[in-house]
Amino acid sequence: MMKKECLNIVESKCRSCKGCALAKTRNNVVFSDGNPETASIVLIGEAPGEMEDLSGTPFVGRAGQLLDEFLVEAGISRQDDLYIINTVKCRPPENRVPFDEEKSACEKFLHAQIDIMNPKAILFCGATALKSFWADPKVQISKIRGNWFNVAINNKEYRAMAIFHPSYLLRNHSMEEGSPRRLMQQDLAEIKRTVLVDNVPFESREFAMV
Ligand code: URA
């Protein structure tokens, strides 16, 4: 079966999910964006915001538009190189951070998406995505971003990197050396080089393990 067909099965289950209270307030389940047959990188965000809930597509609001600008600049194609998903598939009211029970209810869908995609790299975009996989709840993106690490999901290891969430970059405009926006540019350049240009083979236990 093609990845798309496998993902369609997961998507139809996800669309009828009533596993947490967000099912009552959502307009749309926001499952994914990007072409699963060509994408070699999975980018995981937090949860849909208003625009995503209305459109059914992740990262289309202000944060998503800023992410698009950074991707274009880095030469990473949103449609062909990335498969974009969220930790939680339904919008939390007022865009609050998802509760643990909401993340737990969505975990099977998130894990199935990663399993089926079997990506060359996973990008944890923002703290919510990272903390769903990182043991230390106090972990900070600013401390670990820019470094590849290994993550084990469903007994399989992947190369991974944490990157700033574009909502954070919307609040930080500086382009000074060392500013979050400049670091985001550097991180996306590193991701492009390693995964898409040089296609550096991933070796198990190559990096510190999470
Ligand atoms: N923020 C996210 O984390 N995901 C979206 O889809 C939109 C905003």
Side-chain angles (χ1 to χ4, degrees):
M1 250 204 288
M2 306 271 283
K3 286 182 183 174
K4 180 86 190 119
E5 292 170 277
C6 298
L7 289 163
N8 283 347
I9 296 168
V10 180
E11 182 169 357
S12 64
K13 292 203 176 121
C14 189
R15 290 205 175 281
S16 57
C17 177
K18 295 194 171 55
C20 77
L22 298 182
K24 294 200 192 88
T25 50
R26 72 182 175 222
N27 287 298
N28 281 295
V29 168
V30 179
F31 190 71
S32 69
D33 194 28
N35 180 348
E37 305 304 337
T38 58
S40 54
I41 301 171
V42 167
L43 182 147
I44 309 176
E46 179 175 291
E50 185 183 13
M51 297 306 290
E52 291 78 19
D53 175 59
L54 292 173
S55 66
T57 305
F59 283 105
V60 291
R62 277 180 69 222
Q65 287 164 22
L66 183 60
L67 177 65
D68 287 351
E69 287 173 28
F70 276 91
L71 292 173
V72 168
E73 199 198 347
I76 299 174
S77 163
R78 174 173 169 139
Q79 284 308 318
D80 296 327
D81 297 328
L82 295 186
Y83 181 71
I84 300 184
I85 56 181
N86 278 311
T87 308
V88 167
K89 315 302 183 196
C90 299
R91 183 190 183 203
E94 314 299 331
N95 298 347
R96 61 160 168 74
V97 175
F99 296 147
D100 284 347
E101 61 265 29
E102 294 159 356
K103 290 194 278 185
S104 301
C106 251
E107 194 180 67
K108 57 183 177 297
F109 301 119
L110 178 61
H111 285 196
Q113 287 175 306
I114 295 167
D115 240 14
I116 294 166
M117 283 303 294
N118 190 24
K120 287 187 184 155
I122 297 178
L123 307 181
F124 296 106
C125 185
T128 296
L130 178 65
K131 286 178 185 174
S132 299
F133 295 90
W134 194 277
D136 177 3
K138 295 205 190 84
V139 64
Q140 289 180 312
I141 301 272
S142 55
K143 297 263 164 62
I144 64 155
R145 53 133 291 279
N147 296 300
W148 291 110
F149 57 88
N150 284 13
V151 63
I153 302 169
N154 283 353
N155 293 322
K156 189 161 184 299
E157 268 181 73
Y158 302 90
R159 169 192 279 143
M161 191 187 285
I163 58 172
F164 287 122
H165 194 285
S167 304
Y168 177 68
L169 302 178
L170 279 173
R171 303 190 296 270
N172 289 274
H173 294 262
S174 169
M175 283 302 291
E176 300 269 297
E177 188 68 30
S179 65
R181 285 189 183 222
R182 280 291 276 276
L183 296 172
M184 181 72 157
Q185 286 179 329
Q186 286 173 25
D187 294 348
L188 292 177
E190 163 65 15
I191 292 156
K192 161 98 181 171
R193 185 190 66 73
T194 304
V195 185
L196 302 174
V197 178
D198 294 349
N199 194 9
V200 176
F202 171 65
E203 284 175 30
S204 178
R205 309 206 176 272
E206 184 178 3
F207 313 105
M209 186 74 184
V210 181

